[in-house]
Amino acid sequence: MIKVCDNDRRKIAFLFEGIWDSMVIAYLQGYQGTAWVDKMPEPDFGFIISGEYSFFGGDAASDEAADAIRHLSQYIDGDETTAIYSPEHLEWRDLLLKCHPENASEVMRYWIVQKDYDFDKKKLQSFVDRLPDEYELRRFDTELYNQAMSEAWSLEFCETFESAEDYLSKGFGFAVTYQGHLAAATSTMTVYDGGTEIQVATKEEFRGKGLALSTAARFIIECQERGIRPCWDAANKISLHMAMKLGYEYNGEYSTVHISL
């Protein structure tokens, strides 16, 4: 496999047509992620790696594609990935499952419509104002970046950025803290021209208190003020229900494959 150089990013865009994910856009625009293809300048297939996610496109039928999937651990940092592919090309799903029969499983996610929304700012502010008095809403800074990167539950807030400086110059986020410690947050998991992919999470012992909803509402208000699109992708029904409460629209389930490497 050949690692795609920065100048060739846009040349492989055709491989990923039909994958409506802002992380692919972020890669193609040169913000985040790495990509690998079977050959250049006319690749038959390839994949993009961005944090804990991977995106597959092109011809999945070749022996070379199967070999690359079997050796996926060579290209991924960490020990797991969520593989995403076009809903029209489920042959990638089949190949991923075939090549990793012991440690891969299909996982359905919930597709949120990606468009420019006219969010109700008054409603969003009401979610912010519901935050209980014992918690503090804070904008991400170096201290919160370091906290997020120190625990598994919060890594996705910042892990696609190279450093705290990189995160704070390109991204932003809002956190709820309890006695100075990170309890919940909403952050720019990826960024691209005019938009961002939202990452929302709450530490297990603080769930069920509406903390993530407050951070998400404040984050969307910030996006409105900056004139950027906050893209939401729901991994579970809790995330789906939160998105709809905030004003997003649901467009059905789609297939992914989770692989432990």
Side-chain angles (χ1 to χ4, degrees):
M1 297 294 286
I2 300 171
K3 186 177 180 180
V4 179
C5 66
D6 290 346
N7 291 337
D8 287 337
R9 287 177 183 246
R10 292 184 182 273
K11 295 178 182 178
I12 68 168
F14 72 95
L15 293 175
F16 304 98
E17 291 177 358
I19 303 178
W20 305 109
D21 194 293
S22 64
M23 297 182 78
V24 172
I25 299 172
Y27 168 77
L28 295 174
Q29 292 182 354
Y31 283 93
Q32 294 158 312
T34 57
W36 302 82
V37 295
D38 61 321
K39 60 183 179 180
M40 287 295 285
E42 297 180 357
D44 291 325
F45 73 92
F47 47 84
I48 295 168
I49 308 296
S50 187
E52 296 181 12
Y53 296 88
S54 49
F55 302 86
F56 295 81
D59 182 10
S62 68
D63 291 339
E64 291 83 357
D67 185 66
I69 296 302
R70 281 192 290 268
H71 296 91
L72 199 55
S73 60
Q74 297 179 10
Y75 308 99
I76 292 175
D77 293 328
D79 57 5
E80 62 181 2
T81 187
T82 295
I84 298 173
Y85 32 83
S86 168
E88 297 179 357
H89 295 286
L90 295 180
E91 59 270 21
W92 280 107
R93 174 198 62 189
D94 299 338
L95 181 62
L96 289 157
L97 294 172
K98 179 181 178 180
C99 291
H100 295 274
E102 303 297 328
N103 54 0
S105 58
E106 184 177 20
V107 178
M108 303 305 294
R109 292 174 71 97
Y110 302 94
W111 186 12
I112 304 300
V113 177
Q114 295 196 22
K115 68 174 188 177
D116 293 322
Y117 288 90
D118 184 17
F119 292 103
D120 184 339
K121 186 174 182 180
K122 185 176 180 180
K123 182 179 181 180
L124 294 175
Q125 188 61 49
S126 72
F127 294 141
V128 177
D129 295 340
R130 292 181 190 179
L131 189 67
D133 292 339
E134 63 266 32
Y135 298 96
E136 182 181 3
L137 181 66
R138 295 169 52 188
R139 185 185 294 269
F140 261 77
D141 54 16
T142 302
E143 178 194 352
L144 287 176
Y145 170 90
N146 290 331
Q147 284 195 38
M149 294 298 292
S150 69
E151 297 188 64
W153 76 269
S154 52
L155 278 175
E156 287 188 60
F157 290 137
C158 309
E159 69 174 352
T160 59
F161 296 87
E162 295 180 356
S163 63
E165 292 74 19
D166 187 44
Y167 172 80
L168 294 172
S169 66
K170 296 177 182 177
F172 61 92
F174 292 90
V176 165
T177 60
Y178 179 73
Q179 297 180 351
H181 297 289
L182 188 62
T186 301
S187 176
T188 49
M189 184 167 65
T190 58
V191 294
Y192 62 96
D193 293 343
T196 178
E197 179 82 17
I198 293 177
Q199 172 63 19
V200 185
T202 304
K203 197 170 185 178
E204 186 173 0
E205 57 262 42
F206 295 101
R207 292 173 185 169
K209 303 177 186 295
L211 306 184
L213 182 64
S214 292
T215 66
R218 179 63 185 88
F219 184 94
I220 293 171
I221 291 172
E222 182 80 6
C223 288
Q224 287 185 302
E225 292 173 350
R226 295 187 182 209
I228 62 177
R229 175 188 289 183
C231 297
W232 190 295
D233 181 66
N236 52 57
K237 288 187 177 181
I238 294 174
S239 177
L240 171 62
H241 293 155
M242 188 186 304
M244 296 180 69
K245 186 178 292 186
L246 290 162
Y248 288 93
E249 297 176 12
Y250 176 47
N251 198 38
E253 293 184 332
Y254 70 97
S255 168
T256 70
V257 171
H258 183 266
I259 307 174
S260 299
L261 299 167

